[in-house]
């Protein structure tokens, strides 16, 4: 039997975020890193497959090409419905990439309509009257207005998406969603008759997402953050079960790698430092000056892993980030840090780290590729949107890894994650 749901995620942490919600709703999920070569020749032992791309901030044409390759692979695996997953803060620019990828997938699937909703109430992301809120403030008043690559200054998603697409963008507002799936389908029919191709859907609660999930049953394509995933598995008869999240028992040393500059991750780094735990700061200016920062970090690791977890971080305040970018350039600064943290991750695994927390989407992508990870089995949730995962290593060991979006998790996430792994998986 082919997979039921085929998912295309535009970054690595977003992929695990989506997979986590599907697992919690009862689906067995495999996450693949990039598009496997060739087609799906062997049936996968999974109900849903999530293909993690690194396409959020690449040129729009590259994002489209990668997404279409992922679509072709998922269709070869028998996917009955396609889910394009983006960030719950709708990270994008007027050039894309959410709009161009959505339209390319619609064209390839031959569908004239889809929905868009980044809502994820469990993490404070809600959509009301088409406006995206982060906690109690509009997106444009949140920390996302300072994002170095995709600053979000317009909270009106109909406007934001309309600037990126050739199709008309409409709205399914909360009064419709609140009346249930049939009302949403009726509104969908109205919008289609009006020539609307994409509809932003309000959602202010998990109940709204469940209603939307039922309403989009049968649509070839849905686009959303990870929240909509809680409402889809029931369309195939799945119900929550602990068996969907089973992983092998953990072992080895513990470490944290943090490259995110988000407000939430800044708090997590500060909490870790306040607790007096071992930590090494990765300074992009020292890297640019030619210092062997990765070598220094690994020497630090050798002295402290037995007292772990050990943190390796380049997290900074928005002001400090702007200072570095003014000296090195935004792209160069980010790439220097990503390459260094990826080398650190390789060295940590070589030194026996088998439980690894990675914070930040770009950092997660760099680490996963450096470690040669091609697939992940999704396990139990640490915090909303963030699960533990497992992947085999050469020689028979298992690496337990979590890829955390910079915006997710409470202040004590770094230490809480290891406690949960002991409790839920050991």
């Amino acid at each position: 039997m082919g997979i039921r749901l085929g998912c295309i995620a535009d970054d690595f942490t977003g992929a695990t975020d989506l997979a986590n919600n599907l697992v919690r709703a009862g689906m067995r999920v495999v996450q693949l890193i990039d598009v496997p070569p060739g087609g799906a020749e062997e049936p996968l032992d999974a109900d849903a497959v999530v293909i993690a791309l690194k396409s959020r901030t690449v040129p729009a044409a590259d994002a489209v090409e990668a997404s279409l390759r992922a679509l072709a692979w998922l269709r070869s695996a028998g996917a009955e419905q396609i889910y394009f997953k983006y960030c719950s803060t709708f990270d994008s620019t007027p050039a894309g990439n959410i709009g161009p990828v959505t339209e390319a997938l619609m064209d390839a699937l031959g569908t004239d309509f889809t929905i868009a909703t980044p809502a994820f109430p469990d993490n404070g992301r809600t959509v009301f009257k088409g406006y995206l809120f982060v906690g109690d403030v509009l997106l444009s008043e949140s920390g996302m207005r300072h994002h170095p690559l995709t600053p979000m200054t317009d909270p009106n998603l109909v406007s934001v998406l309309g600037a990126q697409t050739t199709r008309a963008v409409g709205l399914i507002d909360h009064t419709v969603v609140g009346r249930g799936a049939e009302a949403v389908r009726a509104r969908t029919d109205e919008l289609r008759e009006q020539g609307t191709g994409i509809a932003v859907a309000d959602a202010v609660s998990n109940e709204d997402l469940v209603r939307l999930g039922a309403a989009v049953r049968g649509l070839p394509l849905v686009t959303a953050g990870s929240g909509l995933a809680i409402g889809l598995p029931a369309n195939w008869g799945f119900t929550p079960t602990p068996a969907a999240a089973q992983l092998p028992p953990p072992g080895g040393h513990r470490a944290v790698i943090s490259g995110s500059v988000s407000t939430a991750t800044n708090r997590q780094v500060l909490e870790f430092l306040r607790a007096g735990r071992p930590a090494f700061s990765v300074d992009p200016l020292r890297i640019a000056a030619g210092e062997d920062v990765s070598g220094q970090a690994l020497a630090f690791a050798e002295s402290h892993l037995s007292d772990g977890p050990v943190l390796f971080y380049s997290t900074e305040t928005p002001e400090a980030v702007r200072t570095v970018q003014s000296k090195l350039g935004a792209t160069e600064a980010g790439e220097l840090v990503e390459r260094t943290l990826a080398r650190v991750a390789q060295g940590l695994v070589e030194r026996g780290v088998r439980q690894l927390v990675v914070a930040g989407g770009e950092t997660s992508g760099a680490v996963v590729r450096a470690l040669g990870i091609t697939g992940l089995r999704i396990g139990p949730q640490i915090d909303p949107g963030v699960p533990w995962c497992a992947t085999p290593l050469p020689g028979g060991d298992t690496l337990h890894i979590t890829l955390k979006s910079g915006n997710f998790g409470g202040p004590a996430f770094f230490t809480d994650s290891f406690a949960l792994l002991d409790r839920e998986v050991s």
Side-chain angles (χ1 to χ4, degrees):
M1 181 182 294
I3 60 175
R4 306 302 181 87
L5 186 64
C7 309
I8 302 166
D10 68 357
D11 84 338
F12 289 23
T13 58
T16 54
D17 172 11
L18 168 61
N20 172 68
N21 279 344
L22 294 173
V23 166
R24 290 174 61 218
M27 280 184 152
R28 297 167 307 138
V29 182
V30 168
Q31 178 177 324
L32 303 177
I33 308 303
D34 287 326
V35 184
E41 298 175 357
E42 297 291 333
L44 287 169
D45 183 25
D47 307 306
V49 172
V50 181
I51 295 181
L53 304 177
K54 196 177 179 185
S55 58
R56 181 169 297 171
T57 56
V58 302
D62 294 344
V64 166
E65 188 274 334
S67 300
L68 290 176
R69 284 193 293 109
L71 172 64
W73 193 94
L74 291 167
R75 293 177 84 179
S76 76
E80 298 173 17
Q81 186 175 51
I82 301 298
Y83 189 136
F84 169 41
K85 193 275 175 191
Y86 37 74
C87 188
S88 63
T89 46
F90 217 68
D91 298 25
S92 53
T93 71
N97 292 341
I98 294 173
V101 170
T102 296
E103 292 201 287
L105 294 174
M106 291 176 72
D107 290 342
L109 289 166
T111 184
D112 66 344
F113 185 85
T114 190
I115 68 162
T117 182
F120 190 5
D122 282 352
N123 263 323
R125 279 43 163 187
T126 54
V127 182
F128 180 75
K129 291 290 186 181
Y131 286 79
L132 178 55
F133 287 79
V134 177
D136 294 328
V137 302
L138 288 166
L139 174 66
S140 54
E141 298 170 11
S142 74
M144 282 302 299
R145 69 187 185 276
H146 299 304
H147 194 286
L149 299 177
T150 53
M152 301 303 294
T153 58
D154 184 356
N156 185 330
L157 299 186
V158 176
S159 170
V160 171
L161 192 53
Q164 301 178 25
T165 62
T166 61
R167 287 171 168 83
V169 179
L171 176 65
I172 303 172
D173 79 8
H174 70 103
T175 61
V176 174
V177 176
R179 295 202 303 271
E182 288 303 319
V184 173
R185 292 191 192 101
R187 175 60 175 157
T188 294
D189 292 340
E190 291 176 3
L191 290 169
R192 276 178 148 154
E193 290 174 4
Q194 296 166 10
T196 299
I198 307 170
V200 172
D202 281 355
V204 298
S205 66
N206 284 351
E207 290 74 20
D208 285 342
L209 293 172
V210 170
R211 287 187 278 263
L212 285 171
V216 300
R217 181 175 185 173
L219 276 185
L221 172 71
V222 295
T223 86
S226 64
L228 186 64
I230 70 173
L232 295 181
N235 291 340
W236 290 280
F238 292 99
T239 57
T241 169
Q246 287 182 343
L247 294 179
H253 294 309
R254 298 170 166 180
V256 181
I257 292 178
S258 176
S260 170
V261 298
S262 74
T263 301
T265 303
N266 266 306
R267 291 195 193 102
Q268 290 154 5
V269 169
L270 287 174
E271 182 70 19
F272 194 94
L273 297 176
R274 285 193 196 103
R277 297 183 180 276
F280 183 94
S281 175
V282 174
D283 183 347
L285 295 178
R286 287 170 50 208
I287 303 170
E291 292 188 39
D292 181 14
V293 175
S294 59
Q296 296 166 11
L298 292 171
F300 181 86
E302 289 172 354
S303 301
H304 293 89
L305 279 175
S306 60
D307 304 318
V310 184
L311 168 65
F312 302 86
Y313 68 100
S314 65
T315 301
E316 293 286 357
T317 64
E319 294 76 17
V321 170
R322 284 192 290 270
T323 298
V324 171
Q325 290 178 341
S326 69
K327 295 178 180 179
L328 303 179
T331 300
E332 178 63 16
E335 290 178 351
L336 281 174
V337 169
E338 285 176 27
R339 288 196 296 267
T340 300
L341 291 177
R343 286 194 292 270
V344 171
Q346 287 177 308
L348 290 173
V349 171
E350 290 168 0
R351 288 161 175 77
V353 167
R354 295 295 181 267
Q355 301 173 47
L356 182 63
V357 172
V358 187
E362 298 299 316
T363 304
S364 293
V367 166
V368 163
R369 284 176 170 151
L371 294 177
I373 295 172
T374 59
L376 296 166
R377 174 66 67 176
I378 308 301
Q381 174 176 278
I382 304 167
D383 267 351
V386 194
W388 273 108
C389 309
T391 189
L393 293 173
D397 281 357
T398 296
L399 174 66
H400 289 77
I401 186 169
T402 183
L403 308 174
K404 185 193 81 71
S405 170
N407 294 306
F408 287 2
F413 179 89
F414 292 158
T415 51
D416 287 351
S417 58
F418 297 112
L420 180 135
L421 190 62
D422 283 341
R423 185 172 66 252
E424 298 292 332
V425 178
S426 295

